[in-house]
Amino acid sequence: MTFGIATVSLSGTLEEKLRAAAAAGFDGVEIFENDLIASPLSPREVRAMMDDLGLGCMLYQPFRDFEGMPGAMRQRALDRAEAKFDLMGDLGADRILVCSNCSPHALGERNRIVADLQELGERAGKRSIIVGYEALAWGRHVFDHRDAWAIVEAVDHPHIGIILDSFHSLSRGIPSESIQAIPGDKIAFVQLADAPRLEMDLLYWSRHFRNFPGQGGLPVADYVAEIIRTGYDGPLSLEIFNDRFRGWSPDLIAADGLRSLRHVEDAAERLLGRTPAVPAPPAAVRPEFVEFAVNAQDAPALEQMFGSLGFARTGVHRTKAVTRWQAGSVNLVINAQPDSFGQGFERAHGPSICAVGLAVPDRDAVAARAAFLDIGQVDQAEAPGNLSVPALRGIGGSLIYLIGEEEIPAVWDTEFEPTGAAVDPHPLTIDHLAAVVRIDEYLSWQLYWRALFGLEQSLQSDVIDPSGLVLSQPLRSADGALRLTLNASDAAGTLSSRFVGHNFGGGYQHIAFASDDLTATAHRIAEKGADILPIGGNYYADLAARFGLDGATRTQLRDAHILYDADDAGDYRQLYSRAFQKRFFFEFVERRGYEGYGAPNAGVRLASQERFRTA
Ligand SMILES: O=C(O)c1ccc(O)c(O)c1
Ligand SMILES: [Mg+2]
């Protein structure tokens, strides 16, 4: 299928929008009327620019308040349409979107609506123009694509078809199977948009919160699958009204848009039981190691911190200033090697997490999928063991190493000299990675992880930092082995925003380890001198009242500075370390059936961290 994007989806002038769409690789654009009206370029000049850029003009839109107008307003609507048809000749557009009437004057009589569209079809036919009728979710009389289809079917004119827009259909919960009633050749155009699941007025939700398929919570892939099933062979085109997109780089947004269309078309093909040439997201993925970049002066302090958290230094690189640390089945790597990727990263970002190693069944398949999604691969071989495993550009310029499950022993054995240190045998795994990203990139990184690794989204949390709101979006693999939270904030003073400032961009802010007995883990690391984030007494008084905890449990939690949450599925315990040089920190958790991340506790944790704030 070909791919398009409506100019309203991108920021900038009309010229900037067109250049961004072309650079990202779109086949064409929908010209949004306001963008043309505001442009100093004539329709012919816009046409010439689209020709130079190799962009088709797929649609001119929107034409509003047409059908069912009473009295003299009907003739005026037809005259307006003729003026737009003239303009479309100059633009080289053969298709126009007529959205369902929102005017309080509009009449709902079916016969009138059908007759008006028949008249418009006659006029469009003389110009070889196709008119597509779209049901806006908030249309005055027509607000459901099933109704729009009943009208278009009754109009029965070769120049009148229906336009399907996933937002209007899915925001109202209309079943996508209803698309099966429409023959593919009567679908004049398809617009795609996703959106976060929010309870709000449909018009406001649509005009401010739409996002790309793979960024929101609507079942867009199912919708596309039904469209493909009809035999429709026109473009899939993104039409996104989003306040953040309006304030961010049109080039970056356009590149995400193309990635999202590739992702959603691929997902739809798989739903139809077809096997696209590009590999599917991996069936399993889990973190194998986390790599920290520090300079030589800071390395001893980080080593001391790892030791206090129960990790043993089990391997020393044979030739580089790189060490391996283990506890349970968790691997951490400290990279203090001069002239390495890690050191370059440390110089740019300060002490930080510079790479994550992810174990997958077939690393070449994931690398091929990354290429299909235009995710950059880095040409370097600095993974532990110097294996030439693929490395992808990830959050904040950090790397994702892709490691095949069967190469894992070699990754560790080839270049690390074992120290013989004993590994704490108590079960410990990486529960989740918590990243902070720029607010403008918040949706972008969601798309990255969902499209590449097939991670699933759960509900976003609004976390109250003492200095402002932080958005937190959890993502997880189907089996829960890889969990990631993406956090972002608009407010300059939040811990998230300060992290992005100090780090010169996004990055991983904390790593959470899962144990099967957090109280015991807390005692063990306390004995080793771990610097635990203190939690005040009021929290425990409230906790005991809320959950009906007995005195002994309350004392046990309080003494260990353990935070607690419970829901219908189970309960959760968590504690935090203080941060390393005000940057990254660690969390230990114990899950008992609970799938969340302790969002109700985040405000308490952030308030405690705020007390240690210096800048
Ligand atoms: O919000 C609107 O007015 C509007 C206009 C045109 C569209 O295609 C649409 O989906 C919404
Ligand atoms: Mg639309």
Side-chain angles (χ1 to χ4, degrees):
M1 273 178 167
T2 55
F3 292 151
I5 186 166
T7 54
V8 71
S9 316
L10 301 170
S11 65
T13 63
L14 181 56
E15 291 103 303
E16 285 165 341
K17 291 167 190 256
L18 295 178
R19 275 195 284 269
F26 283 94
D27 301 296
V29 293
E30 304 172 33
I31 296 289
F32 197 72
E33 183 163 83
N34 291 22
D35 287 321
L36 182 72
I37 292 171
S39 172
L41 300 183
S42 71
R44 280 181 192 279
E45 287 168 328
V46 174
R47 170 75 260 159
M49 184 169 176
M50 287 190 288
D51 284 342
D52 287 346
L53 292 168
L55 287 174
C57 186
M58 293 172 161
L59 186 77
Y60 185 73
Q61 71 123 329
F63 190 67
R64 296 186 193 272
D65 298 341
F66 170 74
E67 79 283 19
M69 285 308 227
M73 295 174 93
R74 178 174 193 268
Q75 187 56 44
R76 281 230 299 283
L78 286 165
D79 293 345
R80 265 198 302 129
E82 293 286 356
K84 297 303 169 191
F85 290 171
D86 290 342
L87 177 163
M88 287 167 64
D90 290 343
L91 258 185
D94 71 349
R95 233 152 261 254
I96 185 167
L97 176 151
V98 173
C99 49
S100 57
N101 203 326
C102 297
S103 164
H105 301 294
L107 305 173
E109 285 164 50
R110 234 359 100 86
N111 295 345
R112 279 291 313 278
I113 293 176
V114 169
D116 290 350
L117 286 168
Q118 275 166 342
E119 173 65 28
L120 191 62
E122 281 302 295
R123 292 166 182 239
K126 296 200 176 92
R127 317 243 203 165
S128 301
I129 283 174
I130 300 286
V131 173
Y133 184 54
E134 174 192 51
L136 295 180
W138 55 89
R140 189 151 181 92
H141 301 288
V142 177
F143 41 75
D144 182 322
H145 72 243
R146 291 169 294 194
D147 216 14
W149 168 240
I151 291 167
V152 168
E153 195 173 24
V155 169
D156 190 23
H157 193 286
H159 288 264
I160 303 284
I162 184 172
I163 290 184
L164 292 171
D165 177 322
S166 59
F167 179 86
H168 297 300
S169 303
L170 300 175
S171 64
R172 298 191 73 101
I174 300 168
S176 295
E177 301 84 75
S178 60
I179 292 170
Q180 289 171 15
I182 311 172
D185 61 0
K186 291 303 284 184
I187 301 176
F189 202 71
V190 172
Q191 296 177 317
L192 297 180
D194 202 338
R197 291 197 170 276
L198 298 167
E199 291 290 330
M200 68 164 71
D201 170 69
L202 290 169
L203 185 147
Y204 198 80
W205 189 16
S206 176
R207 295 253 174 99
H208 299 274
F209 293 96
R210 285 187 183 211
N211 55 28
F212 289 139
Q215 295 180 330
L218 302 179
V220 186
D222 302 75
Y223 193 82
V224 173
E226 294 297 354
I227 286 168
I228 295 174
R229 217 200 282 274
T230 67
Y232 169 77
D233 62 358
L236 298 178
S237 184
L238 298 163
E239 187 199 36
I240 316 296
F241 306 86
N242 182 297
D243 296 344
R244 300 230 176 262
F245 288 18
R246 293 180 193 279
W248 189 229
S249 147
D251 294 305
L252 297 177
I253 295 286
D256 273 349
L258 201 81
R259 176 175 297 168
S260 113
L261 284 176
R262 288 195 178 147
H263 162 58
V264 78
E265 188 188 22
D266 177 72
E269 295 277 357
R270 289 177 203 283
L271 286 172
L272 292 170
R274 304 181 188 169
T275 314
V278 43
V285 51
R286 60 170 188 84
E288 169 63 13
F289 68 86
V290 178
E291 181 174 336
F292 296 75
V294 286
N295 63 35
Q297 291 90 62
D298 292 336
L302 187 58
E303 297 195 352
Q304 193 267 326
M305 183 180 198
F306 281 6
S308 77
L309 296 174
F311 283 78
R313 195 177 62 149
T314 56
V316 176
H317 196 280
R318 296 178 206 276
T319 58
K320 297 178 183 170
V322 175
T323 51
R324 176 188 186 188
W325 295 73
Q326 287 178 270
S329 46
V330 178
N331 289 286
L332 305 179
V333 171
I334 297 180
N335 183 344
Q337 171 67 15
D339 302 322
S340 66
F341 165 77
Q343 287 314 284
F345 199 87
E346 195 280 337
R347 241 169 275 133
H349 300 282
S352 44
I353 293 164
C354 64
V356 173
L358 297 181
V360 291
D362 179 351
R363 56 138 152 113
D364 293 333
V366 179
R369 185 167 179 83
F372 163 71
L373 294 168
D374 250 330
I375 291 171
Q377 192 166 322
V378 183
D379 183 25
Q380 61 90 41
E382 292 191 24
N386 266 6
L387 286 180
S388 58
V389 298
L392 306 177
R393 279 254 171 262
I395 291 171
S398 64
L399 298 183
I400 292 176
Y401 292 114
L402 300 173
I403 312 163
E405 283 285 1
E406 78 291 348
E407 6 178 51
I408 285 172
V411 163
W412 297 117
D413 296 345
T414 314
E415 289 192 28
F416 283 89
E417 179 74 48
T419 62
V423 179
D424 183 334
H426 296 91
L428 198 73
T429 55
I430 293 180
D431 184 83
H432 63 274
L433 312 172
V436 183
V437 297
R438 290 182 54 130
I439 188 86
D440 317 274
E441 298 181 354
Y442 181 60
L443 290 172
S444 184
W445 288 113
Q446 291 182 44
L447 177 63
Y448 175 105
W449 287 93
R450 289 174 68 183
L452 180 57
F453 292 106
L455 300 193
E456 295 159 6
Q457 188 192 48
S458 48
L459 273 187
Q460 172 183 291
S461 301
D462 294 340
V463 171
I464 308 303
D465 178 291
S467 299
L469 181 69
V470 179
L471 305 180
S472 183
Q473 176 64 63
L475 299 168
R476 51 164 278 174
S477 58
D479 64 1
L482 176 63
R483 295 169 186 264
L484 176 76
T485 65
L486 292 171
N487 302 278
S489 176
D490 255 333
T494 57
L495 185 66
S496 289
S497 293
R498 285 182 279 133
F499 178 89
V500 168
H502 292 154
N503 197 60
F504 293 102
Y508 297 95
Q509 187 191 33
H510 78 261
I511 308 293
F513 305 120
S515 102
D516 62 354
D517 182 348
L518 189 61
T519 309
T521 305
H523 284 305
R524 273 200 307 279
I525 64 176
E527 273 169 21
K528 291 183 185 294
D531 201 359
I532 301 299
L533 184 74
I535 303 297
N538 292 347
Y539 170 77
Y540 293 97
D542 173 65
L543 201 62
R546 259 195 301 147
F547 292 107
L549 302 179
D550 60 46
T553 306
R554 169 180 162 175
T555 306
Q556 196 184 52
L557 294 174
R558 190 188 60 203
D559 290 351
H561 301 286
I562 292 175
L563 299 148
Y564 177 86
D565 190 31
D567 60 17
D568 290 344
D571 66 9
Y572 190 60
R573 290 165 176 73
Q574 48 183 164
L575 68 81
Y576 289 90
S577 77
R578 294 276 312 281
F580 181 77
Q581 297 187 358
K582 311 263 174 219
R583 294 303 182 86
F584 52 81
F585 51 92
F586 297 91
E587 179 183 2
F588 288 80
V589 309
E590 179 186 343
R591 288 182 186 276
R592 297 186 190 164
Y594 177 99
E595 284 297 322
Y597 298 83
N601 295 326
V604 174
R605 183 256 297 179
L606 286 161
S608 180
Q609 288 176 312
E610 174 94 355
R611 290 169 45 213
F612 299 101
R613 174 177 178 171
T614 50

